[in-house]
Amino acid sequence: RSPSAPIAGRPPLALRPSPAAAQRTMGTVVREVPGKGRCLFAAADHEKDERVLTESPVFLSDPDAEPDILALLERLHAAEPFGLGHVKAHYAAVLSYLNASQAAYSVLTERWMPQQEKRIGLDEVERVVASLKDQLPPSDDADRVPEGRAKEELTPAILQRLIMAWEFNGFSGYDNSLLMYDRYSTASHSCDPNCASIVLMGLFKKKPAGKPCAASFENDVQATGTMKKGDVFEQRYAGLALQSRREMKCGEEITFNYCLTAEDMAQDFQHRRSQLNLRGWKFQCDCSRCALEIRELLTGGKAFPTGEVEEEHVGEGEMLGLFEDM
């Protein structure tokens, strides 16, 4: 349910998990929820402070991967600004159309998105598709789609869907990149969340100057296990994790705080909802805390506290305000 979301700060070093640990998803399951779409649930009981989900991105949109396409989109945006006010989602959409594996492409097309989004109009998308066809060589069309994926022409409808998938589910990484997750992006927001978000950092072989990052993190994972004399490594973003804030039962929906600060969380439901909307979330929070406050307000006229609360720390690697400053 998240729009393009910047990673705030640089947490302390956490060693890159093994490939098995990096995709710790067996303790979770995705289910359809009427009115909400695909949501994440616990598939087992969890103790407090237990790692519930650890996941690496399924696709990385690196600005260095296709500089000509990025330059074209920036020219189109300069001539007639895109409704979103930026080109990151458009670029990620084109890049994933060209380079995403079948598995990553399926994740993208299954993401939650609003039924309508006026900021991503069909006229705008048609202009982008026409410019791509006119100015890019024929090798940059459906023939370039990765092996194993059905070859399909890039139509305005396909591009519009991919743009919305990235805008409402993408996570911003370092160096102006965007990342797409599978299960992590299905977790719902709550003003009384049962999980906290943690940023994972890792050591990777340093890429040569001017060479883009791989669209998948698989090669990076393998690189950490094949060290040899003379290798140079660098600390980079490795993924995200969800850690339980309290005991959780099997079947409980997994939630975390999308963007609200400690000060926001001390306010009433009206303030929290307004802050969510101001930061780009196209939904009205109906979590258990909001529902309880509304019920108490309607039945008892209860006044809610507006003071500050002490900031909570889960531990090293926690990232407060995961999705602030869109």
Side-chain angles (χ1 to χ4, degrees), residues 13 26 32 43 48 55 60 78 113 172 192 226-227 236 291:
L13 175 65
M26 297 303 293
E32 284 286 338
K48 182 182 178 182
E55 194 172 26
L60 165 66
M113 59 192 72
S172 288
D192 183 24
T226 57
M227 293 185 292
R236 293 212 308 268

Side-chain angles (χ1 to χ4, degrees), residues 31-44:
R31 298 174 184 161
E32 284 286 338
V33 176
K36 292 179 65 175
R38 301 171 75 248
C39 299
L40 192 64
F41 291 82

Side-chain angles (χ1 to χ4, degrees), residues 16-319:
R16 182 70 168 101
S18 66
Q23 303 299 330
R24 188 183 299 156
T25 61
M26 297 303 293
T28 63
V29 62
V30 178
R31 298 174 184 161
E32 284 286 338
V33 176
K36 292 179 65 175
R38 301 171 75 248
C39 299
L40 192 64
F41 291 82
D45 293 345
H46 294 282
E47 300 293 328
K48 182 182 178 182
D49 297 328
E50 183 179 342
R51 193 64 58 86
V52 176
L53 172 70
T54 303
E55 194 172 26
S56 296
V58 297
F59 191 84
L60 165 66
S61 174
D62 182 3
D64 294 333
E66 295 285 353
D68 291 341
I69 293 176
L70 180 58
L72 170 61
L73 293 171
E74 288 175 339
R75 289 196 299 271
L76 292 173
H77 179 52
E80 186 176 342
F82 294 158
L84 294 176
H86 60 81
V87 304
K88 290 178 70 173
H90 292 67
Y91 174 72
V94 176
L95 192 65
S96 53
Y97 165 79
L98 292 172
N99 298 331
S101 66
Q102 179 60 51
Y105 196 75
S106 296
V107 169
L108 281 161
T109 55
E110 291 172 355
R111 295 307 85 180
W112 176 90
M113 59 192 72
Q115 294 294 325
Q116 293 183 335
E117 176 50 66
K118 295 180 180 179
R119 298 178 300 162
I120 311 174
L122 198 57
D123 291 344
E124 174 187 298
V125 180
E126 289 174 346
R127 178 165 63 100
V128 172
V129 171
S131 297
L132 287 169
K133 290 184 179 298
D134 290 342
Q135 299 191 36
L136 294 178
S139 61
D140 284 313
D141 59 16
D143 290 336
R144 199 179 120 175
V145 169
E147 185 177 354
R149 238 184 70 198
K151 289 181 168 58
E152 58 182 353
E153 182 182 1
L154 181 60
T155 64
I158 290 175
L159 184 59
Q160 185 181 44
R161 182 172 180 82
L162 289 173
I163 292 171
M164 287 200 292
W166 277 103
E167 177 63 16
F168 291 100
N169 298 275
F171 295 75
S172 288
Y174 296 114
D175 300 325
N176 215 31
S177 63
L178 274 180
L179 307 106
M180 181 61 66
Y181 286 85
D182 184 5
R183 295 200 177 190
Y184 193 96
S185 64
T186 64
S188 297
H189 166 82
S190 175
C191 298
D192 183 24
N194 52 24
C195 287
S197 298
I198 298 175
V199 177
L200 303 176
M201 302 297 292
L203 293 176
F204 299 90
K205 281 186 178 179
K206 190 171 184 179
K207 66 176 183 178
K211 183 178 180 181
C213 293
S216 167
F217 275 59
E218 293 176 358
N219 292 333
D220 283 331
V221 174
Q222 296 170 358
T224 60
T226 57
M227 293 185 292
K228 62 181 183 293
K229 187 176 180 179
D231 283 343
V232 178
F233 290 82
E234 61 183 356
Q235 180 183 350
R236 293 212 308 268
Y237 175 89
L240 292 171
L242 290 173
Q243 183 167 305
S244 58
R245 300 175 66 243
R246 54 178 178 263
E247 290 186 0
M248 296 173 58
K249 296 296 184 182
C250 180
E252 184 176 347
E253 185 177 0
I254 296 172
T255 61
F256 68 103
N257 171 17
Y258 277 10
C259 67
L260 301 178
T261 66
E263 290 75 17
D264 291 330
M265 294 291 272
Q267 307 296 319
D268 65 13
F269 70 93
Q270 292 173 313
H271 173 87
R272 298 195 304 272
R273 285 179 172 180
S274 68
Q275 289 304 306
L276 285 167
N277 292 331
L278 285 172
R279 295 169 191 176
W281 273 265
K282 303 294 183 179
F283 68 89
Q284 177 176 281
C285 183
D286 290 314
C287 69
S288 58
R289 179 183 172 189
C290 287
L292 176 62
E293 290 182 7
I294 293 171
R295 186 161 58 248
E296 289 180 341
L297 183 65
L298 294 176
T299 59
K302 179 180 177 180
F304 298 101
T306 57
E308 295 185 359
V309 295
E310 184 177 352
E311 187 174 303
E312 182 183 33
H313 294 277
V314 171
E316 288 192 353
E318 182 189 14
M319 182 172 59

